[in-house]
Amino acid sequence: MTIRSWISATLLGLSLVVSPIGDAAWAQNLRVVKKGTAESLDVPVNRAIVVESEQPFADISIANAGIADISTLSDRTIYVLGRAPGITTLTMFDGAGNLITNVRVRVSPDVSEFKERLRQILPNEPIEVRTANDGIVLSGTVSSSARLARALELAERYAPERVSNLMNVGGVQQVMLKVRFAEMNRSVAKNLSASLGFGGGDATGGFNSLNNQASLNNALANNIPFVQTNTGAILFGFGAGSTQVRLLLEALETKGLVRSLAEPNLSALSGQEAEFLAGGEVPIPVPQGDGVVAIEYRAFGVQLLFVPRVVDGDRINLEMGASVSSIDQSSDFTINGDNVPSFISRTTRTTIELNDGESFAIAGLIQDDFTDLNSQVPWLGDVPVLGALFRSAQYQREQSELIIIVTAHLVSPTRGEALALPTDRVKPPSEFDLFVNGKVARTERAGSGAASEVAKQDFGASYGYVLD
């Protein structure tokens, strides 16, 4: 394309307005094209630069006007405007039609403003910004995944869907999760019942409030059962001739305490899912129709599923689910004659955020169940004082408390010699020690490292999670 010099004055004024003269980033706006050399010009999109040639030219042309537009300001000065990302060639001729030079013009997105905004938002991050064709390439090492996401989000504002991420995340990116399940169950039950019986000749009668007639009949017939089923029972009786009177009092109090503790530990890379199961699987029949029964397996035990994300420095975002389940032995549910187990489960699913080494109580449950039952012989049980002989009472209370505590740590690999195993402190005995000395384990000479330090310790008393 050829532009005549009669518009040079107008274009010179336009170039002074459009071209960013005075900006430190464009200190090389003025280029000198030397004869016989192939120069290269870098022009930002929608920006202009002014190029000056040492030799006067008579004609110039651009290979692709859609990438860059040119105009002459004089016989030595050229105005170059970047229109679209790409590479094209500027050719210059003298008055005799001889080639003066070819200039390689590369038009790329304007990233000067993006670099400035990046330095303001992330001042201490060594992020390098480059252009590639019509996109932006980010490289370097950032301190956290959260800052990486901010840099990418900002780059998308300047080059939507044309951002190449070559950045790395520094620091520790592996998380170890320590979960503690602690549960206490307490139960108290009290029963008090009374039965009154009398007999004379072949006739026997009586009053009972809790189905103790069989036991009372055995007492009246002087028949002591082989298996005593009436725990806490006291029998009173007297007779006058053929008349026998017996009073059976039963009082029973039961107490129970259950303590359970589970502490699974699991490590995972930031952003990756980790799963843990300590328990088993139970086959469950599932009818499919037409007499076909399929088998599905249901897992039970201590289950842990979590996805850690290191968001900034030592700040950890944790999405997790945890459950403790056991088989309910009291269930009698059946399908097609097959006994199907039921499960007792404590499950939680949540998302939390915490620092390295901090703990969080993510779930807790306090449950208090109370039941009482009073049964009596009508009217007779309402008689003052003596009515207690015709009345029975039951009382039951169950309390449970559950808490789940989570602790997150940033971890890094170590040498295997520094890790201790539970098997390091227990060695199989020799035949002589087993049969002659009666030892079930033997002690080996301690070496070096964490494993040997554990083996040196005296475990004569209780240790670990062994509970009496």
PDB file of all heavy atoms in Angstrom, residues 239-251:
ATOM      1  N   GLY A 239     -47.320 -70.161 105.854  1.00  0.00           N
ATOM      2  CA  GLY A 239     -48.437 -71.068 105.639  1.00  0.00           C
ATOM      3  C   GLY A 239     -49.246 -71.266 106.909  1.00  0.00           C
ATOM      4  O   GLY A 239     -48.716 -71.236 108.027  1.00  0.00           O
ATOM      5  N   ALA A 240     -50.516 -71.501 106.742  1.00  0.00           N
ATOM      6  CA  ALA A 240     -51.424 -71.817 107.842  1.00  0.00           C
ATOM      7  C   ALA A 240     -52.263 -73.002 107.417  1.00  0.00           C
ATOM      8  O   ALA A 240     -53.216 -72.854 106.659  1.00  0.00           O
ATOM      9  CB  ALA A 240     -52.311 -70.616 108.186  1.00  0.00           C
ATOM     10  N   GLY A 241     -51.846 -74.190 107.857  1.00  0.00           N
ATOM     11  CA  GLY A 241     -52.516 -75.398 107.414  1.00  0.00           C
ATOM     12  C   GLY A 241     -52.211 -75.645 105.941  1.00  0.00           C
ATOM     13  O   GLY A 241     -51.056 -75.699 105.516  1.00  0.00           O
ATOM     14  N   SER A 242     -53.285 -75.821 105.194  1.00  0.00           N
ATOM     15  CA  SER A 242     -53.105 -76.060 103.752  1.00  0.00           C
ATOM     16  C   SER A 242     -52.993 -74.777 102.955  1.00  0.00           C
ATOM     17  O   SER A 242     -52.814 -74.798 101.742  1.00  0.00           O
ATOM     18  CB  SER A 242     -54.285 -76.880 103.215  1.00  0.00           C
ATOM     19  OG  SER A 242     -55.505 -76.163 103.409  1.00  0.00           O
ATOM     20  N   THR A 243     -53.109 -73.649 103.621  1.00  0.00           N
ATOM     21  CA  THR A 243     -53.028 -72.364 102.916  1.00  0.00           C
ATOM     22  C   THR A 243     -51.586 -71.874 102.901  1.00  0.00           C
ATOM     23  O   THR A 243     -50.935 -71.806 103.954  1.00  0.00           O
ATOM     24  CB  THR A 243     -53.926 -71.325 103.603  1.00  0.00           C
ATOM     25  OG1 THR A 243     -55.278 -71.812 103.644  1.00  0.00           O
ATOM     26  CG2 THR A 243     -53.880 -69.999 102.845  1.00  0.00           C
ATOM     27  N   GLN A 244     -51.123 -71.562 101.711  1.00  0.00           N
ATOM     28  CA  GLN A 244     -49.761 -71.064 101.512  1.00  0.00           C
ATOM     29  C   GLN A 244     -49.834 -69.664 100.899  1.00  0.00           C
ATOM     30  O   GLN A 244     -50.581 -69.420  99.959  1.00  0.00           O
ATOM     31  CB  GLN A 244     -48.970 -71.984 100.575  1.00  0.00           C
ATOM     32  CG  GLN A 244     -48.821 -73.407 101.087  1.00  0.00           C
ATOM     33  CD  GLN A 244     -47.881 -73.493 102.260  1.00  0.00           C
ATOM     34  OE1 GLN A 244     -46.924 -72.714 102.335  1.00  0.00           O
ATOM     35  NE2 GLN A 244     -48.146 -74.418 103.173  1.00  0.00           N
ATOM     36  N   VAL A 245     -49.039 -68.767 101.452  1.00  0.00           N
ATOM     37  CA  VAL A 245     -48.954 -67.393 100.952  1.00  0.00           C
ATOM     38  C   VAL A 245     -47.491 -67.090 100.633  1.00  0.00           C
ATOM     39  O   VAL A 245     -46.613 -67.359 101.459  1.00  0.00           O
ATOM     40  CB  VAL A 245     -49.499 -66.383 101.971  1.00  0.00           C
ATOM     41  CG1 VAL A 245     -49.371 -64.953 101.418  1.00  0.00           C
ATOM     42  CG2 VAL A 245     -50.945 -66.684 102.303  1.00  0.00           C
ATOM     43  N   ARG A 246     -47.254 -66.612  99.436  1.00  0.00           N
ATOM     44  CA  ARG A 246     -45.892 -66.283  99.007  1.00  0.00           C
ATOM     45  C   ARG A 246     -45.871 -64.860  98.431  1.00  0.00           C
ATOM     46  O   ARG A 246     -46.781 -64.449  97.712  1.00  0.00           O
ATOM     47  CB  ARG A 246     -45.395 -67.253  97.925  1.00  0.00           C
ATOM     48  CG  ARG A 246     -45.258 -68.695  98.427  1.00  0.00           C
ATOM     49  CD  ARG A 246     -44.081 -68.795  99.386  1.00  0.00           C
ATOM     50  NE  ARG A 246     -43.828 -70.174  99.748  1.00  0.00           N
ATOM     51  CZ  ARG A 246     -44.371 -70.769 100.819  1.00  0.00           C
ATOM     52  NH1 ARG A 246     -45.209 -70.091 101.592  1.00  0.00           N
ATOM     53  NH2 ARG A 246     -44.064 -72.017 101.089  1.00  0.00           N
ATOM     54  N   LEU A 247     -44.796 -64.132  98.746  1.00  0.00           N
ATOM     55  CA  LEU A 247     -44.571 -62.776  98.233  1.00  0.00           C
ATOM     56  C   LEU A 247     -43.187 -62.738  97.580  1.00  0.00           C
ATOM     57  O   LEU A 247     -42.180 -63.039  98.223  1.00  0.00           O
ATOM     58  CB  LEU A 247     -44.652 -61.743  99.363  1.00  0.00           C
ATOM     59  CG  LEU A 247     -44.318 -60.291  98.960  1.00  0.00           C
ATOM     60  CD1 LEU A 247     -45.329 -59.777  97.949  1.00  0.00           C
ATOM     61  CD2 LEU A 247     -44.297 -59.392 100.211  1.00  0.00           C
ATOM     62  N   LEU A 248     -43.170 -62.390  96.284  1.00  0.00           N
ATOM     63  CA  LEU A 248     -41.925 -62.340  95.515  1.00  0.00           C
ATOM     64  C   LEU A 248     -41.634 -60.877  95.162  1.00  0.00           C
ATOM     65  O   LEU A 248     -42.422 -60.223  94.491  1.00  0.00           O
ATOM     66  CB  LEU A 248     -42.042 -63.165  94.230  1.00  0.00           C
ATOM     67  CG  LEU A 248     -40.795 -63.209  93.340  1.00  0.00           C
ATOM     68  CD1 LEU A 248     -39.646 -63.907  94.043  1.00  0.00           C
ATOM     69  CD2 LEU A 248     -41.113 -63.901  92.013  1.00  0.00           C
ATOM     70  N   LEU A 249     -40.487 -60.384  95.656  1.00  0.00           N
ATOM     71  CA  LEU A 249     -40.044 -59.022  95.355  1.00  0.00           C
ATOM     72  C   LEU A 249     -38.810 -59.089  94.468  1.00  0.00           C
ATOM     73  O   LEU A 249     -37.858 -59.829  94.766  1.00  0.00           O
ATOM     74  CB  LEU A 249     -39.707 -58.254  96.643  1.00  0.00           C
ATOM     75  CG  LEU A 249     -40.855 -58.022  97.624  1.00  0.00           C
ATOM     76  CD1 LEU A 249     -40.360 -57.293  98.870  1.00  0.00           C
ATOM     77  CD2 LEU A 249     -41.977 -57.223  96.962  1.00  0.00           C
ATOM     78  N   GLU A 250     -38.835 -58.329  93.397  1.00  0.00           N
ATOM     79  CA  GLU A 250     -37.698 -58.280  92.474  1.00  0.00           C
ATOM     80  C   GLU A 250     -37.247 -56.832  92.330  1.00  0.00           C
ATOM     81  O   GLU A 250     -38.033 -55.947  91.974  1.00  0.00           O
ATOM     82  CB  GLU A 250     -38.075 -58.825  91.101  1.00  0.00           C
ATOM     83  CG  GLU A 250     -38.337 -60.317  91.082  1.00  0.00           C
ATOM     84  CD  GLU A 250     -38.656 -60.802  89.681  1.00  0.00           C
ATOM     85  OE1 GLU A 250     -39.803 -60.620  89.258  1.00  0.00           O
ATOM     86  OE2 GLU A 250     -37.759 -61.344  89.025  1.00  0.00           O
ATOM     87  N   ALA A 251     -35.991 -56.594  92.608  1.00  0.00           N
ATOM     88  CA  ALA A 251     -35.388 -55.262  92.461  1.00  0.00           C
ATOM     89  C   ALA A 251     -34.053 -55.439  91.742  1.00  0.00           C
ATOM     90  O   ALA A 251     -33.213 -56.228  92.165  1.00  0.00           O
ATOM     91  CB  ALA A 251     -35.196 -54.605  93.820  1.00  0.00           C
TER      92      ALA A 251
END
